[in-house]
Amino acid sequence: MDVTYSIDIENMKKLIAQCPQVFADEALQLLREVVTVLEGKVVEHTPVGVGGEAGLRGSISSDAYIRAREIVGTVGTPLAYGEVVERGRTANQAMPPVEALIPWVRAKLDVPEKEVRSVAFLVARSIGKKGFKGADMFAKGFNETEPWIMTQLRGLPARVAARLVE
């Protein structure tokens, strides 16, 4: 889920022209605050799976940085299955890889070790046939924080102005 915001800074053009570094510093600091709060909300909504907090939940991270003339903030996971957990799977698709489900079967189901692979196959086949509803952890986290985020972004001109009078 990519979200892009643009802020109308018409009233700030003079300030930016006079002090571009102050604007960039304040905007970057603000974005770091925003993505940190958003990351926390996403983690709250992320299911605990294999690996407990260190699994998918532990992989959620945020970053903010300046790239060319953009200030970029990200919240995400490097784990390939993160998007599947977020969005879910529709029914009647190819089943997921059995190998990927073996750790989950071991951790979540009370199955003798010699049956783990067979049970993982059955789970994979069921997921392929029935699909599953996504956790929507990124969407829920964003929806919960969006009003606060917008308030923070609207306050950016005041932050820049406050720095200029210091």
Side-chain angles (χ1 to χ4, degrees), residues 43 70 94 140:
V43 168
E70 295 179 314
K140 288 175 184 173

Side-chain angles (χ1 to χ4, degrees), residues 100-153:
L101 291 168
I102 288 175
W104 183 87
V105 169
R106 282 189 180 121
K108 297 290 186 174
L109 304 177
D110 187 22
V111 177
E113 186 59 33
K114 65 182 180 181
E115 295 176 22
V116 166
R117 185 168 184 63
S118 298
V119 171
F121 174 83
L122 295 173
V123 170
R125 188 171 66 183
S126 177
I127 290 171
K129 285 183 181 180
K130 297 177 185 178
F132 65 87
K133 185 178 179 335
D136 297 323
M137 62 268 188
F138 287 93
K140 288 175 184 173
F142 178 75
N143 290 338
E144 286 181 16
T145 57
E146 184 178 22
W148 177 82
I149 290 170
M150 290 309 300
T151 299
Q152 299 308 304
L153 292 176

Side-chain angles (χ1 to χ4, degrees), residues 2-150:
D2 291 339
V3 178
T4 302
Y5 281 106
S6 296
I7 305 169
D8 181 9
I9 54 172
E10 193 63 38
N11 295 332
M12 291 196 54
K13 283 186 177 180
K14 289 180 187 173
L15 292 174
I16 294 169
Q18 291 171 350
C19 305
Q21 192 59 49
V22 172
F23 176 79
D25 290 348
E26 284 301 314
L28 182 59
Q29 178 58 36
L30 174 62
L31 194 54
R32 284 183 177 138
E33 294 167 18
V34 165
V35 297
T36 299
V37 169
L38 180 56
E39 175 188 339
K41 283 294 181 184
V42 170
V43 168
E44 284 178 26
H45 291 289
T46 302
V48 177
V50 176
E53 294 293 324
L56 182 57
R57 273 189 172 195
S59 76
I60 307 293
S61 63
S62 60
D63 193 15
Y65 52 92
I66 296 176
R67 176 181 65 204
R69 296 185 55 121
E70 295 179 314
I71 301 171
V72 179
T74 62
V75 178
T77 175
L79 300 178
Y81 69 90
E83 186 173 0
V84 176
V85 173
E86 169 73 9
R87 296 179 185 213
R89 284 180 58 116
T90 57
N92 300 314
Q93 289 189 351
M95 56 188 233
V98 173
E99 294 298 321
L101 291 168
I102 288 175
W104 183 87
V105 169
R106 282 189 180 121
K108 297 290 186 174
L109 304 177
D110 187 22
V111 177
E113 186 59 33
K114 65 182 180 181
E115 295 176 22
V116 166
R117 185 168 184 63
S118 298
V119 171
F121 174 83
L122 295 173
V123 170
R125 188 171 66 183
S126 177
I127 290 171
K129 285 183 181 180
K130 297 177 185 178
F132 65 87
K133 185 178 179 335
D136 297 323
M137 62 268 188
F138 287 93
K140 288 175 184 173
F142 178 75
N143 290 338
E144 286 181 16
T145 57
E146 184 178 22
W148 177 82
I149 290 170
M150 290 309 300

